[in-house]
Amino acid sequence: MDYDVIFIGSGHAANHGAGLLAAAGKKVAMIEADKLGGVCTNYGCDAKILLDGPFEYLDGLNNYQDLGLQADVQIDWSKLMDHKRKTLAGFQTVFEPLFQKMGVDIIHGRGTIIDAHTVAVGDQHYSADNIVIATGARNSKLDIPGKDLMQGSTEFLDLDTLPEHMIVVGAGIIGMEFASMALLAGKKVTFFEYGDRPLKAYPAKYVNKIVAKFVDQGAVFHFGQAVAKVEETVDGFRVSTQAGVEATGDFVLDSTGRVANVENLGLETLGIEASPRGIKVDEHMRTAVPSIYASGDVVDKTIPKLTPTAEFESNYIARDILTPDGPAITYPVIPNLVFTLPRIGQVGVTIDEAQANPAQYKLVEIPWGKQHDWVNNHEQDAELTLIFDKEGYLVGAAAISSQVGTWLDWLTPIIEKKMTARDLSAMIMSFPTQTYVLWSTLRPLLKAQ
Ligand SMILES: Cc1cc2nc3c(=O)[nH]c(=O)nc-3n(C[C@H](O)[C@H](O)[C@H](O)COP(=O)(O)OP(=O)(O)OC[C@H]3O[C@@H](n4cnc5c(N)ncnc54)[C@H](O)[C@@H]3O)c2cc1C
């Protein structure tokens, strides 16, 4: 065998596990058809958060308008884009030597699996005891006339100038996040959404607040609409729905979802079951061919397709290869965030689940912004819901606030480790901070010990 393990793809579903295996002395390679680091690094999370930075600050400044603060700040999108491009290009220069130093060979090209132990890249064949498919997912495209006039998230995150009027087809996470930036920059946004509200997986009461804010900023939402076609006009594009609703703009974003990259991998010949939802795996992340695993966004799974879940799976696979008779994969609670302005997010048991089972769960709703204005950067609209089981353990949380990421990351170990008031009392927090207030709020609500 040329290698112990070959990963197809170099995103988070591959590179963490590859590093672990190399550190344990295994001979490892990653095959990458595009840029090293995958979607998150180049076209997703990192690209987005680099651009979002100044918008987050501007949104925070706007919270002080009622106290007389005039935030006359202009965001220079093209300079920001330049910064994003330079930063991400810098990553590419360090990744390859870094992986090599870690002991991971990089093979540039498109990998196709030939048999249970062989991957072809062009004319070259590479053999390995194990193969890990970590080919990720891509923007799906609505199959309608004019579909090629619509752009995806990758194109939005590389625009030289922000569109004057963006039409968003599908009010999901990506569409809502990008609209937050465009609206704050004073641009127009029109949404067409098939369902009756955006972000169906997130609490309606928080999503409604975001929708109301967007509408205040000039956004137009068309719910219950199936987009039927996109046409070119003299100065842009016209989007029409089956019901005859229309909008014209200079950029159309198709954010109707993502599909797994399962094509041209040789899966059919090997009898590996796959669909646009992804590859079927067992509880050890193995496909129907025992020597071949799948990891990350390319997996058909019900848990959120996120970077941390991809990383978790790649590390699990590395351990499963190193210790073959180990346990099945079990996921801890997974915090997930929408990077709108403000953010919304949740972890563990959801508000809907808790409300549907009042005998099992207790909800504590905290009007955080109003209650804790003294430490909250005057973000009066911030809210937090804590969910406890009947024994008094924290089992879930949901929130709307610029601070949701910090809060959820702080609450996640308390849920996961089933911490009690006694555990929290044994800690000292810094002061005055929002996490201190979270700690002091949570302590009396938790199971005593
Ligand atoms: C706009 C956007 C924003 C996002 N924001 C967040 C966020 O804020 N937080 C979060 O947790 N997640 C976010 N995500 C999701 C996150 O990017 C994915 O969950 C993560 O990238 C999955 O990692 P992966 O390794 O499974 O796949 P990918 O990162 O997609 O990597 C797969 C790699 O495989 C390569 N490849 C595919 N086929 C082949 C082949 N045959 N041969 C060789 N190479 C191949 C691809 O080129 C790619 O580099 C975002 C996604 C998008 C699109």
Side-chain angles (χ1 to χ4, degrees):
M1 294 288 172
D2 298 316
Y3 290 100
D4 293 309
V5 188
I6 290 178
F7 288 83
I8 309 179
S10 69
H12 288 272
N15 60 52
H16 298 275
L20 262 183
L21 286 160
K26 296 285 180 190
K27 197 156 184 252
V28 184
M30 283 194 305
I31 301 171
E32 176 54 62
D34 188 9
K35 291 182 182 164
L36 289 173
V39 165
C40 177
T41 307
N42 298 293
Y43 315 111
C45 338
D46 296 8
K48 172 185 78 187
I49 216 69
L50 269 161
L51 295 168
D52 166 275
F55 289 94
E56 189 188 0
Y57 276 100
L58 178 54
D59 197 50
L61 284 178
N62 283 340
N63 289 330
Y64 285 96
Q65 271 178 7
D66 67 338
L67 297 180
L69 185 116
Q70 297 296 316
D72 186 19
V73 179
Q74 300 300 316
I75 291 176
D76 186 333
W77 177 267
S78 63
K79 268 202 177 152
L80 193 57
M81 186 55 70
D82 201 36
H83 169 60
K84 183 223 83 169
R85 287 176 184 150
K86 279 192 186 129
T87 308
L88 296 185
F91 287 179
Q92 288 305 307
T93 60
V94 295
F95 277 165
E96 186 140 0
L98 188 75
F99 288 133
Q100 274 163 0
K101 207 170 154 200
M102 285 160 68
V104 178
D105 284 357
I106 302 295
I107 301 165
H108 293 281
R110 187 158 291 279
T112 306
I113 306 172
I114 303 294
D115 62 38
H117 295 284
T118 315
V119 186
V121 180
D123 298 338
Q124 200 72 41
H125 285 196
Y126 300 93
S127 58
D129 287 331
N130 288 108
I131 296 166
V132 182
I133 306 168
T135 51
R138 64 181 184 278
N139 227 93
S140 60
K141 260 207 163 168
L142 267 189
D143 195 11
I144 54 167
K147 62 182 175 195
D148 292 335
L149 302 173
M150 292 192 280
Q151 309 288 323
S153 54
T154 300
E155 288 75 26
F156 177 90
L157 291 173
D158 207 36
L159 284 173
D160 291 326
T161 50
L162 267 177
E164 287 306 315
H165 184 179
M166 176 163 71
I167 300 176
V168 178
V169 181
I173 297 176
I174 288 172
M176 293 292 280
E177 289 180 346
F178 293 177
S180 262
M181 290 191 266
L183 288 165
L184 196 55
K187 309 299 181 190
K188 280 180 74 175
V189 179
T190 299
F191 287 92
F192 288 104
E193 165 58 46
Y194 191 71
D196 58 3
R197 73 169 178 96
L199 304 171
K200 281 187 292 290
Y202 291 85
K205 63 176 182 169
Y206 297 154
V207 174
N208 291 342
K209 285 184 107 175
I210 300 278
V211 170
K213 178 172 178 180
F214 278 15
V215 170
D216 272 356
Q217 290 173 312
V220 176
F221 283 92
H222 297 292
F223 294 119
Q225 293 293 328
V227 167
K229 63 177 173 191
V230 184
E231 297 158 293
E232 217 156 356
T233 62
V234 200
D235 50 2
F237 307 98
R238 181 186 305 112
V239 176
S240 320
T241 71
Q242 281 171 9
V245 183
E246 285 183 2
T248 50
D250 55 345
F251 184 87
V252 187
L253 179 75
D254 182 343
S255 57
T256 52
R258 294 187 57 78
V259 288
N261 291 324
V262 294
E263 301 85 357
N264 306 317
L265 279 168
L267 302 183
E268 307 77 13
T269 342
L270 289 155
I272 295 176
E273 208 185 321
S275 72
R277 290 167 48 90
I279 296 173
K280 292 255 184 246
V281 292
D282 67 10
E283 69 278 13
H284 285 260
M285 304 303 295
R286 279 193 223 105
T287 67
V289 178
S291 59
I292 304 179
Y293 292 79
S295 173
D297 278 14
V298 77
V299 174
D300 184 349
K301 57 189 177 186
T302 50
I303 60 144
K305 291 191 174 185
L306 294 168
T307 291
T309 52
E311 175 179 347
F312 186 84
E313 286 162 6
S314 88
N315 285 334
Y316 168 83
I317 290 168
R319 285 193 297 269
D320 202 63
I321 290 171
L322 292 169
T323 324
D325 293 322
I329 190 165
T330 50
Y331 294 91
V333 285
I334 302 164
N336 52 85
L337 241 70
V338 185
F339 287 81
T340 40
L341 302 161
R343 320 309 197 196
I344 53 181
Q346 60 193 4
V347 59
V349 174
T350 65
I351 292 180
D352 282 354
E353 280 173 79
Q355 282 172 338
N357 296 289
Q360 216 175 328
Y361 301 114
K362 182 176 134 197
L363 285 98
V364 178
E365 294 179 344
I366 303 166
W368 191 270
K370 302 210 166 48
Q371 204 161 307
H372 303 298
D373 192 43
W374 64 279
V375 71
N376 197 41
N377 292 335
H378 203 45
E379 193 181 352
Q380 295 237 310
D381 281 342
E383 288 180 36
L384 170 68
T385 302
L386 297 173
I387 299 162
F388 298 88
D389 67 8
K390 48 180 197 282
E391 287 178 84
Y393 289 113
L394 183 72
V395 290
I400 179 167
S401 159
S402 64
Q403 299 302 311
V404 173
T406 308
W407 295 355
L408 294 190
D409 281 347
W410 194 87
L411 292 169
T412 297
I414 294 174
I415 297 174
E416 190 56 39
K417 296 291 170 199
K418 294 187 129 226
M419 287 190 195
T420 60
R422 187 172 166 172
D423 295 323
L424 261 60
S425 296
M427 300 171 185
I428 291 179
M429 298 287 124
S430 55
F431 182 91
T433 61
Q434 295 214 28
T435 37
Y436 171 90
V437 179
L438 203 50
W439 172 78
S440 61
T441 305
L442 183 58
R443 214 170 25 155
L445 296 169
L446 271 181
K447 185 179 189 311
Q449 48 186 293

